[in-house]
């Protein structure tokens, strides 16, 4: 995954990624009212990346979104047999659709970059294996648009002066790691201790299952200089767990960065003030993540006297 998902290969998709965000902004400007954070911003961004960057065209968008939501539960522990069967069915449909499209040669998109890379490797994979790998990547990339929802929600709590910085592409690019640290949609990571280790006064034995609370880890005052979201630009970017770490590091980090750094400045340049209606934020059922299901948004632009 290093080559097709690396910054060098993804650079050729920067214009496409920008166009995905532009289309979402045009639709927001035309709608103006009754904006929902998920259905009007988060989902269109995700589908745009899937279709325009990956080059994958789902047969039915509503079914695909539903299957992605179900499939994301594959990483969660203690699932019922009924839920596991739903996950299996959803993954089977997504993998089947991807397999069918991989059999169409010479198509543009990240999907085919990945396919060609894995097919030409020293240990070539079958089309079905590659389709399964791509399916997991597509499903996991949903967390990028979910993180954008969390950024918008957190930004609605900031002062006007701080919020203005988000319309500055250079500032957003410089501080990308810092605000993703606070807004990652993943709440828990599951890991297994490879050896006995002591953390403070707790001893973890080898092969013992561990839950890592990501928000707490990313606000550890012993490691991070700034632990408040309003202090985003205090200090240099630091290590965090928004994209995992070590062998578990997210292969889609550069794609996530490309979308967020492209879209967020445009969003706040067009709508300097974005408010979340109190009490309107609702979340999906999830053991490991805070995934927004709906939130009513008020967008205020220059025509409202906002600068």
């Amino acid at each position: 995954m290093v080559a097709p998902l690396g910054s060098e290969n993804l650079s050729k998709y920067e214009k496409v990624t920008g166009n995905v965000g532009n289309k979402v902004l045009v639709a927001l400007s035309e709608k103006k009212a009754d904006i929902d954070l998920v259905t009007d911003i988060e989902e269109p961004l995700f589908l745009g990346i899937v279709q325009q960057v990956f080059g994958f065209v789902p047969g039915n968008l509503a079914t695909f979104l539903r299957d992605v939501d179900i499939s994301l539960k594959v990483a969660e522990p203690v699932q019922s047999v009924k839920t596991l069967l739903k996950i299996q069915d959803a993954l089977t449909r997504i993998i089947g659709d991807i397999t069918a499209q991989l059999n169409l040669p010479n198509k543009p998109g990240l999907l085919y970059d990945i396919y060609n890379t894995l097919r030409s490797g020293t240990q070539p994979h079958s089309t079905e294996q590659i389709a399964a790998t791509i399916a997991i990547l597509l499903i996991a990339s949903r967390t990028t648009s979910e993180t954008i929802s969390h950024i918008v929600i957190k930004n609605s709590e900031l002062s006007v002066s701080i919020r203005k910085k988000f319309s500055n592409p250079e500032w957003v690019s410089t501080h990308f790691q810092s605000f993703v640290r606070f807004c990652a949609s993943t709440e828990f990571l599951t890991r297994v201790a490879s050896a006995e280790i002591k953390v403070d006064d707790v001893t973890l034995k080898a092969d013992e299952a561990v839950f890592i609370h990501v928000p707490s880890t990313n606000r550890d005052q012993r490691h991070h200089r700034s632990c408040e979201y309003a202090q985003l630009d205090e200090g240099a970017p630091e290590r965090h767990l928004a994209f995992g770490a070590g062998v578990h590091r997210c292969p889609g980090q550069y794609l996530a960065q490309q979308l967020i750094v492209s879209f967020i400045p445009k969003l706040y340049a067009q709508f300097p003030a974005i408010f979340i209606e109190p009490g309107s934020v609702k979340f999906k059922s999830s053991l490991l993540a805070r995934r927004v299901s709906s939130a009513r948004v008020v967008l205020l632009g220059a025509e409202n006297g906002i600068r």
Side-chain angles (χ1 to χ4, degrees):
M1 296 296 97
V2 173
L5 289 171
S7 57
E8 183 177 348
N9 187 60
L10 283 174
S11 63
K12 69 184 182 185
Y13 294 105
E14 287 181 357
K15 185 176 180 179
V16 178
T17 302
N19 289 338
V20 168
N22 292 340
K23 289 181 180 179
V24 173
L25 292 173
V26 168
L28 290 174
S29 297
E30 292 175 348
K31 190 172 183 180
K32 294 183 180 178
D34 298 321
I35 303 295
D36 183 86
L37 183 59
V38 175
T39 57
D40 293 310
I41 298 177
E42 182 184 308
E43 289 179 353
L45 282 173
F46 171 64
L47 290 174
I49 292 298
V50 166
Q51 294 172 303
Q52 302 301 317
V53 177
F54 278 91
F56 172 60
V57 183
N60 183 287
L61 296 183
T63 300
F64 175 68
L65 283 172
R66 186 167 60 250
D67 283 344
V68 168
D69 278 343
I70 294 170
S71 298
L72 277 168
K73 292 181 178 292
V74 72
E76 298 186 358
V78 197
Q79 297 287 6
S80 67
V81 172
K82 183 178 180 180
T83 299
L84 289 172
L85 289 173
K86 287 182 178 179
I87 294 170
Q88 177 178 278
D89 289 342
L91 280 169
T92 299
R93 281 190 292 272
I94 295 173
I95 293 171
D97 286 346
I98 293 173
T99 301
Q101 292 195 32
L102 285 176
N103 288 324
L104 301 173
N106 301 320
K107 297 276 286 185
L110 193 54
L111 183 148
Y112 302 96
D113 293 346
I114 295 170
Y115 174 76
N116 292 329
T117 299
L118 295 182
R119 287 285 285 184
S120 62
T122 55
Q123 295 179 320
H125 299 70
S126 69
T127 300
E128 291 74 17
Q129 289 174 322
I130 296 172
T133 300
I134 293 171
I136 296 300
L137 289 170
L138 281 177
I139 292 163
S141 67
R142 184 74 165 92
T143 59
T144 297
S145 52
E146 290 177 346
T147 297
I148 287 176
S149 285
H150 285 283
I151 291 171
V152 173
I153 291 170
K154 291 293 291 184
N155 283 7
S156 67
E157 304 168 1
L158 297 176
S159 67
V160 174
S161 60
I162 297 177
R163 206 164 50 223
K164 281 182 179 179
K165 297 178 181 179
F166 282 84
S167 63
N168 183 332
E170 184 176 348
W171 185 87
V172 171
S173 180
T174 300
H175 296 90
F176 163 76
Q177 295 287 352
S178 296
F179 60 77
V180 169
R181 169 163 67 95
F182 290 100
C183 299
S185 61
T186 300
E187 190 164 22
F188 288 97
L189 295 173
T190 57
R191 295 291 184 263
V192 176
S194 58
E196 183 172 305
I197 184 174
K198 189 171 184 179
V199 182
D200 293 334
D201 58 346
V202 177
T203 299
L204 301 173
K205 298 180 180 179
D207 298 325
E208 192 168 8
V210 181
F211 269 97
I212 300 171
H213 187 235
V214 177
S216 295
T217 305
N218 285 340
R219 292 169 174 80
D220 188 342
Q221 294 181 348
R222 295 169 298 183
H223 179 72
H224 297 290
R225 287 185 292 274
S226 60
C227 296
E228 297 295 332
Y229 189 67
Q231 301 170 343
L232 284 171
D233 52 0
E234 292 186 11
E238 301 167 299
R239 292 177 59 212
H240 57 79
L241 288 182
F243 296 111
V247 295
H248 293 282
R249 193 161 185 83
C250 174
Q253 175 183 345
Y254 292 111
L255 180 59
Q257 182 169 347
Q258 189 173 91
L259 176 60
I260 293 173
V261 170
S262 169
F263 180 71
I264 288 295
K266 294 177 182 177
L267 176 65
Y268 282 90
Q270 186 163 327
F271 303 106
I274 303 176
F275 300 101
I276 306 297
E277 292 189 16
S280 71
V281 181
K282 295 181 174 56
F283 296 93
K284 299 174 184 178
S285 173
S286 175
L287 294 175
L288 300 182
R290 284 178 63 78
R291 308 181 60 225
V292 181
S293 62
S294 64
R296 292 191 299 275
V297 179
V298 178
L299 303 174
L300 299 179
E303 70 275 13
N304 303 102
I306 304 296
R307 292 286 189 270

